Amino acid sequence: MTCVSLILAAGLGTRMKSKIPKVLHLLGGVPIICWSVQSAREASGSDPVIVIGPEQHDVRATLDLGIRYVEQEERLGTGHAASQAAGLLQGKVDLVLVTSADMPLLRPGTLRRLIEVQERNQGPISLLTARVMKSRGFGRIKRAKDGAIQAIIEEAHANDEELALCEVNVGAYCFQADWLWDHLPGLSLSAKGEYYITDLIGMATSAEERVAWVEIEDDDEIIGINTREHLAEAHDAIRKRINQKWMLAGVTILDPTTTYIDSQAEIGVDTTILPNTNIEGRTIVGEDCVLGPNSVILESRIGDHCKVFMSVMTRAILENEVAIGPFAHLRPGAYLCQGVHMGNFGEVKNSTLGPGVKMGHFSYVGDAKIGKNSNISAGVITCNFDGKEKHPTEVGEDVFIGSDTMLVAPVRLGKGSRTGAGSVVRRDVPENTLVVGIPARAIRKLEESD
Ligand code: UD1
Ligand code: CA
């Protein structure tokens, strides 16, 4: 049977009290709606159709191609939202999987089971249910004495007896498509002025049609996001899910409760992540690394056998066997080649540190290229900004830059050169030459033995 998924996302999300649409809040490093799209897409095997509000262009801009959109001009409820897709989908498919964009934790396998149950169901609807301790404002499932589902009662309209029911509607349904399009126009307006998709259940059972269900057992799947408190619960669940995935794949996570790994990150086997570490965005980490504690790594690439100890990296690259920290700060464009060691209070921006470079203590390197095996002593600064423009610094191989040297860019230091402590280098330094002073001047040519 052919199946298309329809994701309802036009709601205003007013309970979030936010300037941005609810479904664009981040969860595991990506907008909430991306999770709902991925699950629906995997379960149905096709690109979803999304119902959005008239001013939600940023939702379109966030998602990838292939997705089709229909607009709901007026927010008249979930039933009204679904009916907006009739024009696009009527007569095109056998089944319609309807989900809400604010239920991002539903797994593709769960939605797949729902579709399979509906494929075998004689009646027009199958839905997901869950037995819960906390109702989170969900509609209650009302059953007849024989156990058949009778209706869904929205919390706002439930009496005390109905409120006490602990089986809830998760908000995911699989419909016989023709039945859905035929019956949506028959919904009547609720006391709250909305057309509820949930009223289709009562409509089916009054016509003696069978409503099938799939009960979800995993509590974390049924977190719907209506408020920021729910968002925090969802974060907690996603963090556990992602950490578990990496632990099963061979990554040691010492304290999963304080380790945050975004969904797009990748981590190699036998890497260890220590407490309070965030691995954000599309960061790729190799094997046998130790990351943390207390580190934040954003959109970066880290090779094998690296150590990132109490440090911050943003859009930076480490080749293999690089060790940084404590308190190293790599900013965008920092590229540390194999075997680099960078100690405490160093900052590198838009610069390459060649293989084996040592930069042990409090220095700033910006817009520079540092050659292989050079040494950057304590307090070295590339003065790359003259107040108007940025300028480059080039340092050759095997250069020794003495403590507190100021490299006033643009400037070049030739291969094998040295600077004395406290020099202010304003002019290029030839190869194998020692410069000292302010401004630095050459005092002698260096011999092999120096
Ligand atoms: C809905 C269900 C409730 C269920 C819960 C599970 C209804 C009437 N109630 O309640 O039984 O337990 O989901 O998550 O369906 N939306 C539109 N257009 C609208 C209104 C809503 O597109 O006019 C979208 C929202 O963006 C959201 C989804 O539909 O993604 C659900 O709407 P929401 O207002 O969050 O419904 P709930 O109160 O959570
Ligand atoms: Ca909701």
Side-chain angles (χ1 to χ4, degrees), residues 37 41 47-48 60-69:
V37 165
R41 187 180 258 156
D47 288 328
R60 282 181 199 240
T62 302
L63 293 167
D64 52 306
L65 301 173
I67 293 168
R68 287 173 292 169
Y69 298 88

Side-chain angles (χ1 to χ4, degrees), residues 114 174 313 332 380 415:
L114 180 65
C174 190
M313 295 176 58
V380 169
K415 184 176 169 197

Side-chain angles (χ1 to χ4, degrees), residues 252-303:
T252 295
I253 299 180
L254 213 67
D255 181 8
T257 59
T258 63
T259 301
Y260 295 83
I261 304 172
D262 278 353
S263 62
Q264 319 100 295
E266 283 178 36
I267 304 166
V269 294
D270 290 323
T271 281
T272 297
I273 305 174
L274 300 175
N276 283 325
T277 296
N278 292 14
I279 299 177
E280 300 174 5
R282 176 117 186 93
T283 289
I284 310 214
V285 181
E287 300 184 358
D288 304 296
C289 295
V290 180
L291 310 180
N294 307 329
S295 295
V296 178
I297 302 165
L298 170 67
E299 298 282 354
S300 293
R301 248 173 48 214
I302 296 178

Side-chain angles (χ1 to χ4, degrees), residues 47 53 74 76 87 99 170 218 245 249 265 273 319 341 368 387 427 446:
D47 288 328
E74 267 185 291
L76 293 175
T99 56
V170 171
D218 190 350
K245 172 179 113 177
I273 305 174
E319 288 189 351
H341 167 70
R427 272 189 292 164
L446 292 162

Side-chain angles (χ1 to χ4, degrees), residues 77-351:
T78 47
H80 180 258
S83 68
Q84 306 307 301
L88 185 69
L89 296 176
Q90 201 155 16
K92 305 268 169 55
V93 284
D94 304 317
L95 301 174
V96 183
L97 172 74
V98 179
T99 56
S100 296
D102 63 356
M103 295 289 300
L105 285 119
L106 288 173
R107 289 191 167 87
T110 306
L111 296 178
R112 184 70 230 153
R113 267 199 292 150
L114 180 65
I115 296 170
E116 284 163 7
V117 163
Q118 181 53 32
E119 279 172 345
R120 293 191 299 269
N121 185 18
Q122 298 296 310
I125 312 174
S126 298
L127 67 133
L128 286 184
T129 70
R131 283 172 205 278
V132 294
M133 305 288 282
K134 221 163 129 185
S135 70
R136 288 196 183 92
F138 284 9
R140 309 296 201 275
I141 305 278
K142 198 166 176 179
R143 288 182 183 263
K145 284 214 173 65
D146 65 357
I149 290 182
Q150 246 181 344
I152 294 174
I153 316 290
E154 288 308 309
E155 189 168 276
H157 308 295
N159 60 33
D160 287 348
E161 199 182 314
E162 289 158 345
L163 284 176
L165 295 169
C166 61
E167 192 183 11
V168 296
N169 167 34
V170 171
Y173 326 83
C174 190
F175 293 95
Q176 261 174 22
D178 294 343
W179 188 94
L180 176 67
W181 310 128
D182 286 350
H183 288 77
L184 277 171
L187 286 174
S188 38
L189 213 55
S190 75
K192 282 183 79 183
E194 291 188 7
Y195 297 96
Y196 294 158
I197 199 168
T198 45
D199 285 348
L200 292 174
I201 286 48
M203 221 186 251
T205 55
S206 340
E208 312 272 306
E209 300 267 29
R210 201 182 117 72
V211 173
W213 71 93
V214 171
E215 186 176 328
I216 301 184
E217 275 151 27
D218 190 350
D219 269 4
D220 86 358
E221 287 195 61
I222 53 181
I223 302 171
I225 301 172
N226 293 325
T227 65
R228 304 234 187 193
E229 213 180 345
H230 298 151
L231 182 62
E233 286 178 52
H235 270 299
D236 194 45
I238 282 285
R239 177 179 47 71
K240 285 186 186 139
R241 216 183 255 189
I242 295 174
N243 287 347
Q244 186 192 36
K245 172 179 113 177
W246 290 115
M247 289 188 279
L248 289 173
V251 174
T252 295
I253 299 180
L254 213 67
D255 181 8
T257 59
T258 63
T259 301
Y260 295 83
I261 304 172
D262 278 353
S263 62
Q264 319 100 295
E266 283 178 36
I267 304 166
V269 294
D270 290 323
T271 281
T272 297
I273 305 174
L274 300 175
N276 283 325
T277 296
N278 292 14
I279 299 177
E280 300 174 5
R282 176 117 186 93
T283 289
I284 310 214
V285 181
E287 300 184 358
D288 304 296
C289 295
V290 180
L291 310 180
N294 307 329
S295 295
V296 178
I297 302 165
L298 170 67
E299 298 282 354
S300 293
R301 248 173 48 214
I302 296 178
D304 298 334
H305 301 282
C306 289
K307 285 197 172 62
V308 176
F309 178 43
M310 303 222 263
S311 292
V312 175
M313 295 176 58
T314 303
R315 278 182 248 126
I317 296 175
L318 307 185
E319 288 189 351
N320 298 336
E321 291 154 19
V322 174
I324 69 167
F327 315 116
H329 186 190
L330 298 188
R331 292 172 47 208
Y335 188 110
L336 276 49
C337 297
Q338 173 137 8
V340 166
H341 167 70
M342 184 178 160
N344 45 196
F345 307 111
E347 174 178 337
V348 175
K349 181 218 75 173
N350 186 33
S351 297

